[in-house]
Amino acid sequence: MAREGYDDSLYSLLDKRCKIRVERAQRFVGAQTCSHEAAQHGRVHCLEVLQKAGVITKHKNQNGDTPLLLAVRGGHAETALWLLNNASEEKDAKNNNGDTPLLLAVRGGHAQIAQRLLKDGADKDAKNNDGDTPLLFAIKNGWIDTAEHLIAAG
């Protein structure tokens, strides 16, 4: 339901006190939770429903991705910004490849997300497992404005 964006169905299930089994899923390392699915597919409304029910999660899935990492990778700016504002997401979380939200934002050309992460103090020098940094990706892709923002960040 979170994947498809059926927030009305989520409301209905939560209103009827159906168990979504989020707590159980969170006990297993690498579980893809409803929060992961909603973030990966840019479903802010579903995340809002999950938050109201107290079942939003920051846990990592099997690839080490948090909901924020998935939203950024997918270029879902509204979702990523919502997670930063409302879910206390870790701005420097790393997945199994060592990618951070800032690195994924720059690599994907998602300037709005990258600028917000920089404003929030994300580590602009963080390297992934291949030794790549956000600045390296900005330069490789010719994104001069993003490179300038990274340099100006200190």
Side-chain angles (χ1 to χ4, degrees):
M1 279 178 270
R3 175 184 297 177
E4 288 83 17
Y6 299 132
D7 50 320
D8 289 340
S9 297
L10 281 174
Y11 275 122
S12 177
L13 287 172
L14 293 169
D15 285 345
K16 293 179 181 177
R17 305 245 187 261
C18 290
K19 302 263 185 199
I20 294 183
R21 302 188 188 244
V22 172
E23 300 84 11
R24 179 183 246 176
Q26 291 172 354
R27 287 187 218 146
F28 299 104
V29 175
Q32 182 91 346
T33 66
C34 292
S35 299
H36 288 95
E37 292 292 335
Q40 184 172 357
H41 298 282
R43 310 292 189 209
V44 174
H45 295 295
C46 289
L47 289 169
E48 290 169 344
V49 171
L50 292 167
Q51 184 187 44
K52 286 178 186 172
V55 293
I56 199 161
T57 179
K58 296 177 279 190
H59 293 276
K60 294 183 174 190
N61 67 10
Q62 66 275 11
N63 298 319
D65 289 316
T66 63
L68 177 62
L69 284 161
L70 293 171
V72 172
R73 180 181 296 119
H76 303 296
E78 181 184 0
T79 304
L81 297 176
W82 186 90
L83 286 163
L84 288 166
N85 289 333
N86 298 289
S88 302
E89 280 277 352
E90 174 55 48
K91 65 183 175 296
D92 288 321
K94 289 188 171 195
N95 64 15
N96 296 348
N97 296 325
D99 295 326
T100 64
L102 180 59
L103 196 142
L104 291 174
V106 172
R107 184 169 63 199
H110 310 302
Q112 180 186 15
I113 302 170
Q115 288 175 7
R116 170 59 191 277
L117 288 163
L118 285 170
K119 180 183 168 197
D120 287 356
D123 183 0
K124 68 174 187 65
D125 298 316
K127 294 180 180 180
N128 67 10
N129 296 349
D130 295 326
D132 298 321
T133 64
L135 183 59
L136 177 65
F137 278 117
I139 292 169
K140 275 177 157 179
N141 291 299
W143 294 315
I144 304 303
D145 288 346
T146 301
E148 287 174 350
H149 277 101
L150 288 162
I151 293 167

